[in-house]
Amino acid sequence: MADRLDKFISANSSLTRSEAKSALAAGRVTLNSSVCKKGETKVTDSDTVMLDGNTLKAAGMVYILLNKPAGVISATEDTRDRTVLDLVKEAPWIREKCPKNGLFPIGRLDKDTEGLLVITNDGVLSHNLLSPKKHVEKEYLAVCTGCLAKDAVQRFAEGIEVGCEYKALPAKLTVVSADDGNCTLKIVLTEGRFHQVKRMCHEVGAEVEYLKRIRFGKLELPEDMPVGEMRFVKAEDIV
Ligand code: URA
């Protein structure tokens, strides 16, 4: 894929975009062994770019599994709240192995939801995973209060009417435990609408007090993974 030289330099070195432009102007950059001062020059995978005599390698695609903490939002930036991208920037060993630009979370978890979130720079994979046509499974663990309807499992399997807005696709509900006024549920969805788990549970009498995503496609959240921790994974671990 062709990229502008100044963008390539800032994405694959410690320089910001404006520092990359200064380095270009100062003749510190060579493209295929010749000094190149033009930031707009297109570079492809077959080109060799050197900065101060060191070859810059394209960082390629990265996939970061984050055990998202509550209180952090699933966005690239925000003026008020900490974002999942702030967590990446605050983890030097992760940041060093990533391109600086172009990372984003695949889909969203609510601010108060914990658990599995993948952060990547792979727009194609993200598009495929989020496409409603692909029916990628997402599994959640929900701790709820309220009195779960007796026919909740069947209603989830048939597709629940959520308010008067839409009928959810058939989903799998497993009751892990239930006693007076409390239940722990596992829910597998193949779509990802706004507050979907919370709203579907509400329809069957359960109010979600704690929600955690434990699987996305094939990728499971390791049980021993501390909240807030990140690990690199491969695309084939997810799909
Ligand atoms: N469903 C919800 O209600 N919240 C989430 O964060 C994810 C799924």
mmCIF file of all heavy atoms in Angstrom, residues 166-191:
data_model
loop_
_atom_site.group_PDB
_atom_site.id
_atom_site.type_symbol
_atom_site.label_atom_id
_atom_site.label_comp_id
_atom_site.label_asym_id
_atom_site.label_seq_id
_atom_site.Cartn_x
_atom_site.Cartn_y
_atom_site.Cartn_z
ATOM 1 N N TYR A 166 -36.643 -2.844 18.043
ATOM 2 C CA TYR A 166 -36.182 -3.899 17.127
ATOM 3 C C TYR A 166 -36.320 -5.266 17.782
ATOM 4 O O TYR A 166 -36.460 -5.373 19.004
ATOM 5 C CB TYR A 166 -34.719 -3.683 16.695
ATOM 6 C CG TYR A 166 -33.695 -3.746 17.806
ATOM 7 C CD1 TYR A 166 -33.081 -4.960 18.138
ATOM 8 C CD2 TYR A 166 -33.332 -2.611 18.519
ATOM 9 C CE1 TYR A 166 -32.139 -5.025 19.153
ATOM 10 C CE2 TYR A 166 -32.384 -2.675 19.534
ATOM 11 C CZ TYR A 166 -31.794 -3.877 19.849
ATOM 12 O OH TYR A 166 -30.865 -3.949 20.856
ATOM 13 N N LYS A 167 -36.285 -6.283 16.912
ATOM 14 C CA LYS A 167 -36.275 -7.666 17.405
ATOM 15 C C LYS A 167 -34.832 -8.155 17.293
ATOM 16 O O LYS A 167 -34.251 -8.114 16.190
ATOM 17 C CB LYS A 167 -37.208 -8.516 16.542
ATOM 18 C CG LYS A 167 -37.376 -9.939 17.015
ATOM 19 C CD LYS A 167 -38.467 -10.573 16.159
ATOM 20 C CE LYS A 167 -38.800 -11.946 16.381
ATOM 21 N NZ LYS A 167 -38.581 -12.981 16.992
ATOM 22 N N ALA A 168 -34.280 -8.546 18.411
ATOM 23 C CA ALA A 168 -32.886 -9.009 18.392
ATOM 24 C C ALA A 168 -32.795 -10.337 17.649
ATOM 25 O O ALA A 168 -33.757 -11.114 17.622
ATOM 26 C CB ALA A 168 -32.380 -9.179 19.818
ATOM 27 N N LEU A 169 -31.632 -10.596 17.068
ATOM 28 C CA LEU A 169 -31.402 -11.910 16.454
ATOM 29 C C LEU A 169 -31.394 -12.965 17.561
ATOM 30 O O LEU A 169 -31.091 -12.654 18.720
ATOM 31 C CB LEU A 169 -30.045 -11.927 15.744
ATOM 32 C CG LEU A 169 -29.933 -11.089 14.473
ATOM 33 C CD1 LEU A 169 -28.499 -11.123 13.945
ATOM 34 C CD2 LEU A 169 -30.908 -11.599 13.409
ATOM 35 N N PRO A 170 -31.719 -14.199 17.230
ATOM 36 C CA PRO A 170 -31.673 -15.252 18.238
ATOM 37 C C PRO A 170 -30.325 -15.254 18.970
ATOM 38 O O PRO A 170 -29.274 -15.083 18.343
ATOM 39 C CB PRO A 170 -31.849 -16.530 17.418
ATOM 40 C CG PRO A 170 -32.626 -16.088 16.226
ATOM 41 C CD PRO A 170 -32.149 -14.690 15.921
ATOM 42 N N ALA A 171 -30.381 -15.407 20.287
ATOM 43 C CA ALA A 171 -29.168 -15.353 21.104
ATOM 44 C C ALA A 171 -29.214 -16.500 22.103
ATOM 45 O O ALA A 171 -30.284 -17.012 22.435
ATOM 46 C CB ALA A 171 -29.094 -14.016 21.835
ATOM 47 N N LYS A 172 -28.020 -16.883 22.587
ATOM 48 C CA LYS A 172 -27.970 -18.003 23.529
ATOM 49 C C LYS A 172 -27.826 -17.460 24.960
ATOM 50 O O LYS A 172 -26.900 -16.690 25.242
ATOM 51 C CB LYS A 172 -26.778 -18.894 23.181
ATOM 52 C CG LYS A 172 -26.745 -20.146 23.996
ATOM 53 C CD LYS A 172 -25.698 -21.105 23.473
ATOM 54 C CE LYS A 172 -25.614 -22.280 24.425
ATOM 55 N NZ LYS A 172 -24.366 -22.973 24.388
ATOM 56 N N LEU A 173 -28.750 -17.861 25.808
ATOM 57 C CA LEU A 173 -28.683 -17.462 27.216
ATOM 58 C C LEU A 173 -28.441 -18.705 28.067
ATOM 59 O O LEU A 173 -29.165 -19.696 27.930
ATOM 60 C CB LEU A 173 -30.003 -16.794 27.626
ATOM 61 C CG LEU A 173 -30.172 -16.474 29.114
ATOM 62 C CD1 LEU A 173 -29.158 -15.439 29.560
ATOM 63 C CD2 LEU A 173 -31.585 -15.956 29.391
ATOM 64 N N THR A 174 -27.417 -18.651 28.911
ATOM 65 C CA THR A 174 -27.161 -19.738 29.860
ATOM 66 C C THR A 174 -27.245 -19.149 31.270
ATOM 67 O O THR A 174 -26.588 -18.136 31.554
ATOM 68 C CB THR A 174 -25.739 -20.322 29.645
ATOM 69 O OG1 THR A 174 -25.593 -20.665 28.269
ATOM 70 C CG2 THR A 174 -25.497 -21.548 30.505
ATOM 71 N N VAL A 175 -28.047 -19.775 32.104
ATOM 72 C CA VAL A 175 -28.154 -19.307 33.489
ATOM 73 C C VAL A 175 -27.065 -20.022 34.289
ATOM 74 O O VAL A 175 -27.119 -21.237 34.495
ATOM 75 C CB VAL A 175 -29.563 -19.593 34.062
ATOM 76 C CG1 VAL A 175 -29.661 -19.058 35.494
ATOM 77 C CG2 VAL A 175 -30.641 -18.972 33.172
ATOM 78 N N VAL A 176 -26.061 -19.252 34.705
ATOM 79 C CA VAL A 176 -24.952 -19.843 35.460
ATOM 80 C C VAL A 176 -25.409 -20.110 36.888
ATOM 81 O O VAL A 176 -25.134 -21.158 37.458
ATOM 82 C CB VAL A 176 -23.719 -18.893 35.447
ATOM 83 C CG1 VAL A 176 -22.557 -19.466 36.257
ATOM 84 C CG2 VAL A 176 -23.281 -18.603 34.017
ATOM 85 N N SER A 177 -26.112 -19.150 37.470
ATOM 86 C CA SER A 177 -26.685 -19.342 38.802
ATOM 87 C C SER A 177 -27.844 -18.364 38.961
ATOM 88 O O SER A 177 -27.864 -17.302 38.326
ATOM 89 C CB SER A 177 -25.634 -19.104 39.889
ATOM 90 O OG SER A 177 -25.252 -17.746 39.880
ATOM 91 N N ALA A 178 -28.802 -18.741 39.780
ATOM 92 C CA ALA A 178 -29.934 -17.846 40.054
ATOM 93 C C ALA A 178 -30.491 -18.182 41.416
ATOM 94 O O ALA A 178 -30.693 -19.353 41.736
ATOM 95 C CB ALA A 178 -31.017 -18.015 38.975
ATOM 96 N N ASP A 179 -30.650 -17.151 42.239
ATOM 97 C CA ASP A 179 -31.397 -17.352 43.479
ATOM 98 C C ASP A 179 -32.260 -16.115 43.678
ATOM 99 O O ASP A 179 -32.411 -15.327 42.748
ATOM 100 C CB ASP A 179 -30.457 -17.653 44.663
ATOM 101 C CG ASP A 179 -29.411 -16.575 44.832
ATOM 102 O OD1 ASP A 179 -29.715 -15.414 44.556
ATOM 103 O OD2 ASP A 179 -28.282 -16.913 45.231
ATOM 104 N N ASP A 180 -32.785 -15.950 44.878
ATOM 105 C CA ASP A 180 -33.725 -14.854 45.116
ATOM 106 C C ASP A 180 -33.156 -13.502 44.725
ATOM 107 O O ASP A 180 -32.299 -12.960 45.411
ATOM 108 C CB ASP A 180 -34.072 -14.816 46.613
ATOM 109 C CG ASP A 180 -35.261 -15.685 46.891
ATOM 110 O OD1 ASP A 180 -35.768 -16.277 45.923
ATOM 111 O OD2 ASP A 180 -35.659 -15.774 48.072
ATOM 112 N N GLY A 181 -33.624 -12.980 43.624
ATOM 113 C CA GLY A 181 -33.273 -11.592 43.283
ATOM 114 C C GLY A 181 -31.906 -11.386 42.654
ATOM 115 O O GLY A 181 -31.522 -10.251 42.386
ATOM 116 N N ASN A 182 -31.150 -12.460 42.418
ATOM 117 C CA ASN A 182 -29.835 -12.314 41.772
ATOM 118 C C ASN A 182 -29.648 -13.419 40.737
ATOM 119 O O ASN A 182 -30.115 -14.534 40.943
ATOM 120 C CB ASN A 182 -28.698 -12.471 42.793
ATOM 121 C CG ASN A 182 -28.720 -11.376 43.823
ATOM 122 O OD1 ASN A 182 -28.483 -10.220 43.500
ATOM 123 N ND2 ASN A 182 -29.044 -11.737 45.051
ATOM 124 N N CYS A 183 -28.936 -13.105 39.673
ATOM 125 C CA CYS A 183 -28.563 -14.194 38.759
ATOM 126 C C CYS A 183 -27.273 -13.837 38.033
ATOM 127 O O CYS A 183 -26.943 -12.665 37.865
ATOM 128 C CB CYS A 183 -29.682 -14.506 37.768
ATOM 129 S SG CYS A 183 -30.213 -13.123 36.789
ATOM 130 N N THR A 184 -26.568 -14.869 37.647
ATOM 131 C CA THR A 184 -25.379 -14.703 36.807
ATOM 132 C C THR A 184 -25.662 -15.410 35.492
ATOM 133 O O THR A 184 -26.084 -16.579 35.482
ATOM 134 C CB THR A 184 -24.132 -15.305 37.500
ATOM 135 O OG1 THR A 184 -23.951 -14.612 38.739
ATOM 136 C CG2 THR A 184 -22.891 -15.139 36.665
ATOM 137 N N LEU A 185 -25.464 -14.671 34.395
ATOM 138 C CA LEU A 185 -25.861 -15.182 33.082
ATOM 139 C C LEU A 185 -24.673 -15.156 32.127
ATOM 140 O O LEU A 185 -23.799 -14.292 32.250
ATOM 141 C CB LEU A 185 -26.968 -14.285 32.495
ATOM 142 C CG LEU A 185 -28.175 -13.993 33.391
ATOM 143 C CD1 LEU A 185 -29.071 -12.948 32.725
ATOM 144 C CD2 LEU A 185 -28.959 -15.270 33.671
ATOM 145 N N LYS A 186 -24.693 -16.080 31.161
ATOM 146 C CA LYS A 186 -23.781 -15.993 30.019
ATOM 147 C C LYS A 186 -24.645 -15.780 28.792
ATOM 148 O O LYS A 186 -25.676 -16.484 28.628
ATOM 149 C CB LYS A 186 -22.943 -17.256 29.880
ATOM 150 C CG LYS A 186 -21.738 -17.232 30.775
ATOM 151 C CD LYS A 186 -20.791 -18.353 30.458
ATOM 152 C CE LYS A 186 -19.602 -18.280 31.399
ATOM 153 N NZ LYS A 186 -18.768 -19.478 31.306
ATOM 154 N N ILE A 187 -24.249 -14.850 27.951
ATOM 155 C CA ILE A 187 -25.060 -14.496 26.788
ATOM 156 C C ILE A 187 -24.167 -14.492 25.557
ATOM 157 O O ILE A 187 -23.089 -13.891 25.581
ATOM 158 C CB ILE A 187 -25.671 -13.083 26.977
ATOM 159 C CG1 ILE A 187 -26.601 -13.078 28.191
ATOM 160 C CG2 ILE A 187 -26.422 -12.611 25.743
ATOM 161 C CD1 ILE A 187 -26.206 -12.104 29.238
ATOM 162 N N VAL A 188 -24.610 -15.156 24.494
ATOM 163 C CA VAL A 188 -23.866 -15.121 23.234
ATOM 164 C C VAL A 188 -24.728 -14.412 22.192
ATOM 165 O O VAL A 188 -25.840 -14.857 21.885
ATOM 166 C CB VAL A 188 -23.510 -16.542 22.734
ATOM 167 C CG1 VAL A 188 -22.722 -16.464 21.423
ATOM 168 C CG2 VAL A 188 -22.716 -17.300 23.785
ATOM 169 N N LEU A 189 -24.198 -13.303 21.668
ATOM 170 C CA LEU A 189 -24.902 -12.513 20.645
ATOM 171 C C LEU A 189 -24.135 -12.593 19.333
ATOM 172 O O LEU A 189 -22.920 -12.796 19.335
ATOM 173 C CB LEU A 189 -24.945 -11.031 21.032
ATOM 174 C CG LEU A 189 -25.588 -10.609 22.348
ATOM 175 C CD1 LEU A 189 -25.566 -9.086 22.445
ATOM 176 C CD2 LEU A 189 -27.002 -11.121 22.440
ATOM 177 N N THR A 190 -24.841 -12.364 18.235
ATOM 178 C CA THR A 190 -24.139 -12.269 16.947
ATOM 179 C C THR A 190 -24.337 -10.886 16.335
ATOM 180 O O THR A 190 -24.133 -10.692 15.150
ATOM 181 C CB THR A 190 -24.634 -13.332 15.948
ATOM 182 O OG1 THR A 190 -26.049 -13.176 15.806
ATOM 183 C CG2 THR A 190 -24.295 -14.731 16.399
ATOM 184 N N GLU A 191 -24.785 -9.941 17.136
ATOM 185 C CA GLU A 191 -24.861 -8.551 16.689
ATOM 186 C C GLU A 191 -24.365 -7.666 17.826
ATOM 187 O O GLU A 191 -24.044 -8.169 18.902
ATOM 188 C CB GLU A 191 -26.292 -8.184 16.245
ATOM 189 C CG GLU A 191 -27.340 -8.537 17.259
ATOM 190 C CD GLU A 191 -28.762 -8.297 16.773
ATOM 191 O OE1 GLU A 191 -28.963 -7.660 15.728
ATOM 192 O OE2 GLU A 191 -29.675 -8.738 17.486
#
